[in-house]
Amino acid sequence: MNLKVLLPFRVFMDKADVTRIVVETIEGSFGLLPHRLDCVAPLVAGILTYQTEGKDETYIAIDRGVLVKAGPNVIVSVRQAMAGVELAQLKDLLEKQFLSLDEQEQKIRMTTAKLESGFVRRFASLQHE
């Protein structure tokens, strides 16, 4: 398989001869082998594991995104990705950076929703006057 990890602003990684991929989806862990049927899967923040012919497993911490498998090509599109450190360090980075961003994003969305609803209420009250 050919594995490509895309970020919003660049190609993070492009590997050929990948024999196995494991990612985390909203339904749990999801594995891909070369002859798996084509599919699309939403990804949660987690660890992407892949293995190439004759090499050890490689780990990448990824943020939320989507995986698309079409023929021998597997494309993973995520907001952030990190590699190059040990698995234990990746898990710590994942918890500190990606999951804390999700909490911040939720707070921002709640604040935005409150502002929008306040604006709509005020606008509606102006029309009733």
Side-chain angles (χ1 to χ4, degrees):
M1 294 182 290
N2 303 310
L3 174 62
K4 188 179 284 191
V5 177
L6 304 176
L7 299 177
F9 50 89
R10 69 182 175 101
V11 175
F12 179 76
M13 184 198 78
D14 194 357
K15 280 280 185 199
D17 301 323
V18 175
T19 58
R20 183 173 73 91
I21 301 169
V22 178
V23 293
E24 295 179 37
T25 69
I26 57 174
E27 299 292 327
S29 291
F30 183 72
L32 293 169
L33 295 173
H35 297 291
R36 176 153 173 54
L37 293 176
D38 294 350
C39 62
V40 175
L43 303 176
V44 295
I47 304 292
L48 179 145
T49 306
Y50 72 91
Q51 189 170 10
T52 55
E53 196 73 38
K55 302 244 179 157
D56 290 335
E57 291 180 333
T58 304
Y59 305 101
I60 301 172
I62 59 171
D63 201 353
R64 294 184 303 180
V66 66
L67 174 142
V68 177
K69 181 183 184 307
N73 299 314
V74 178
I75 298 173
V76 175
S77 180
V78 293
R79 291 191 283 173
Q80 296 183 71
M82 289 184 206
V85 295
E86 294 179 15
L87 183 58
Q89 290 174 320
L90 277 178
K91 287 184 179 181
D92 289 341
L93 286 170
L94 176 74
E95 290 174 1
K96 288 177 184 172
Q97 290 194 332
F98 298 165
L99 297 179
S100 67
L101 281 177
D102 288 343
E103 291 173 11
Q104 286 178 331
E105 189 174 311
Q106 287 176 352
K107 289 178 183 176
I108 290 169
R109 286 184 181 175
M110 284 178 32
T111 303
T112 304
K114 288 178 183 177
L115 288 170
E116 289 173 351
S117 65
F119 174 77
V120 169
R121 266 188 268 122
R122 287 186 194 114
F123 187 73
S125 69
L126 286 174
Q127 288 198 357
H128 290 290
E129 290 180 3

